[in-house]
């Protein structure tokens, strides 16, 4: 089932629902007294019930809505670096443990929304990734149990301001509207093996990343086990699982995103996330 967060074009209010083909069903309108947003529906263990709910007539065509990030307000967003072998080789990574950094919710943007390139940056890089949405409290679980704690999967564009990363990643990963998340979440009952998904990134129609989640060094289950050992996760929390090789910084010559570029991430069984790059000025100098 494809679940999404969006703006109701009739009321202008935030809501959530289900997309089937090009038709959108507004579950927020139907279930607002119980679950005002997708995160609360996940936390309320309602996803299984939604698959059996009588939806009635669709409310909108997908072209009518304005998308929101799949989960607008996750309490925690863990990002994983260097999790594909080709990427590890590109960056000469030697650390065996998962490389983690944090994104904050106010860095997120939606499918179809502008991805901001800071005007001060000349190295705005693309990184297409698989996003994992946690479905329930996840505290020190084993990898054998881990996938039972996943609500669903989505696409993510981890826009990276390379010339602000310095010695670590966080300062280059949390600029406004640099983390595109969407267009929707596919529930985990439809993706039984998250390590069997094709993943690709296109810049202005040219494929720049091409791999499979099978190439992850640390699987989704291992990442959940590792992270939940030291940081309990809650419904709606997100793990961004790393990007394949082919990033712009390691190309010869380097290839970075600029204003007006079209960047797309497609993951098999999920869909395609599309964003246009826009310049964004920030007051202040560093």
């Amino acid at each position: 089932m494809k679940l999404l967060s969006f703006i109701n074009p009739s009321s202008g209010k935030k809501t959530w629902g289900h997309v089937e083909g090009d038709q959108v069903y507004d579950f927020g309108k139907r279930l607002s007294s119980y679950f005002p947003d997708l995160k609360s529906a996940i936390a309320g263990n309602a996803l299984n019930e939604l698959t059996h709910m009588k939806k009635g007539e669709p409310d909108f065509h997908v072209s009518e809505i304005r998308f929101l990030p799949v989960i607008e307000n996750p309490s925690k967003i863990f990002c994983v670096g260097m999790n594909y072998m080709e990427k590890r080789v590109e960056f000469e990574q030697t650390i065996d443990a998962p490389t983690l950094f944090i994104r904050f919710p106010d860095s997120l943007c939606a499918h179809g929304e502008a991805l901001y390139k800071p005007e001060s940056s000349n190295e705005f890089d693309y990184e297409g990734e698989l996003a994992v949405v946690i479905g329930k409290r996840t505290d020190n679980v084993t990898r054998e149990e881990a996938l039972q704690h996943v609500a669903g999967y989505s696409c993510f564009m981890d826009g990276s301001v390379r010339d602000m990363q310095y010695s670590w990643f966080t300062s280059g990963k949390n600029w406004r509207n640099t983390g595109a998340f969407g267009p929707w979440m596919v529930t985990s009952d439809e993706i039984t093996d998250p390590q069997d998904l094709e993943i690709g990134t296109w810049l202005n129609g040219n494929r720049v990343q091409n791999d499979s989640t099978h190439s992850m060094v640390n699987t989704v289950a291992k990442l959940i086990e590792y992270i939940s050992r030291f940081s309990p996760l809650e419904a709606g929390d997100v793990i961004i699982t790393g990007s394949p090789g082919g990033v712009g910084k390691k190309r010869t010559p380097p290839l970075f995103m600029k204003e007006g570029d079209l960047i797309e991430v497609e993951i098999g069984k999920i869909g395609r996330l599309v964003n246009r790059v826009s310049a964004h000025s920030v007051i202040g100098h560093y």
Side-chain angles (χ1 to χ4, degrees), residues 240-254:
I240 313 301
T241 58
S243 179
V247 296
K249 185 173 180 64
K250 293 300 180 178
R251 289 176 175 264
T252 307

Side-chain angles (χ1 to χ4, degrees), residues 25 35 42 72 76 82 118 192-193 215 224 261 269 283:
Y25 298 83
F35 307 118
I42 294 171
E72 270 201 292
K76 297 177 182 178
M82 309 301 165
T192 55
D193 184 3
S215 300
I224 294 172
D261 282 351
K269 301 182 182 178
I283 297 173

Side-chain angles (χ1 to χ4, degrees), residues 6-284:
F6 65 99
I7 300 291
N8 180 314
S10 300
S11 67
K13 295 181 179 180
K14 294 179 179 180
T15 186
W16 64 283
H18 165 55
V19 61
E20 188 173 311
D22 56 9
Q23 303 298 314
V24 177
Y25 298 83
D26 187 347
F27 286 174
K29 179 181 71 175
R30 294 165 171 80
L31 302 170
S32 61
S33 58
Y34 302 100
F35 307 118
D37 57 20
L38 178 54
K39 180 179 173 180
S40 63
I42 294 171
N45 197 30
L47 300 193
N48 185 56
E49 295 178 23
L50 293 177
T51 62
H52 303 292
M53 187 176 78
K54 292 182 179 179
K55 298 188 293 289
E57 293 296 316
D59 296 282
F60 308 107
H61 189 277
V62 71
S63 62
E64 297 179 88
I65 67 169
R66 176 185 155 200
F67 287 82
L68 294 170
V70 176
I71 305 293
E72 270 201 292
N73 56 339
S75 297
K76 297 177 182 178
I77 306 173
F78 281 101
C79 300
V80 185
M82 309 301 165
N83 200 33
Y84 285 77
M85 188 53 66
E86 185 180 353
K87 180 82 171 290
R88 289 173 66 87
V89 171
E90 285 179 343
F91 282 81
E92 300 178 353
Q93 176 64 261
T94 59
I95 299 172
D96 291 331
T99 300
L100 301 179
F101 57 94
I102 300 300
R103 259 195 185 272
F104 300 110
D106 59 6
S107 72
L108 300 179
C109 64
H111 170 71
E113 195 174 5
L115 192 74
Y116 286 170
K117 183 195 85 66
E119 284 188 342
S120 60
S121 174
N122 295 312
E123 297 186 359
F124 189 42
D125 210 346
Y126 52 83
E127 297 198 60
E129 311 197 18
L130 173 70
V132 178
V133 180
I134 297 299
K136 58 185 177 181
R137 182 168 176 80
T138 303
D139 187 358
N140 197 28
V141 301
T142 66
R143 67 190 65 179
E144 290 78 17
E145 302 170 318
L147 296 186
Q148 300 171 30
H149 291 249
V150 175
Y153 303 91
S154 187
C155 304
F156 200 89
M157 167 47 58
D158 186 26
S160 304
V161 185
R162 299 291 189 199
D163 39 6
M164 273 294 293
Q165 286 185 186
Y166 303 126
S167 63
W168 204 240
F169 302 113
T170 300
S171 59
K173 300 285 191 173
N174 280 286
W175 291 65
R176 299 163 181 82
N177 279 49
T178 56
F181 185 14
W184 42 67
M185 176 189 84
V186 174
T187 51
S188 58
D189 60 302
E190 295 191 6
I191 298 178
T192 55
D193 184 3
Q195 308 310 142
D196 187 30
L197 304 173
E198 297 300 315
I199 180 170
T201 304
W202 284 260
L203 180 60
N204 297 323
N206 299 309
R207 191 162 192 164
V208 289
Q209 292 183 295
N210 183 17
D211 211 327
S212 165
T213 55
H214 181 74
S215 300
M216 285 185 185
V217 176
N218 293 287
T219 65
V220 171
K222 289 180 182 178
L223 292 172
I224 294 172
E225 177 187 64
Y226 180 80
I227 293 169
S228 72
R229 186 182 306 163
F230 67 86
S231 180
L233 300 167
E234 301 292 344
D237 287 350
V238 182
I239 299 173
I240 313 301
T241 58
S243 179
V247 296
K249 185 173 180 64
K250 293 300 180 178
R251 289 176 175 264
T252 307
L255 177 65
F256 294 114
M257 295 187 289
K258 60 185 184 299
E259 184 178 5
D261 282 351
L262 186 71
I263 189 70
E264 303 171 84
V265 179
E266 184 173 295
I267 301 179
K269 301 182 182 178
I270 297 175
R272 183 175 283 226
L273 170 67
V274 181
N275 297 88
R276 183 75 65 177
V277 179
S278 174
H280 184 66
S281 62
V282 179
I283 297 173

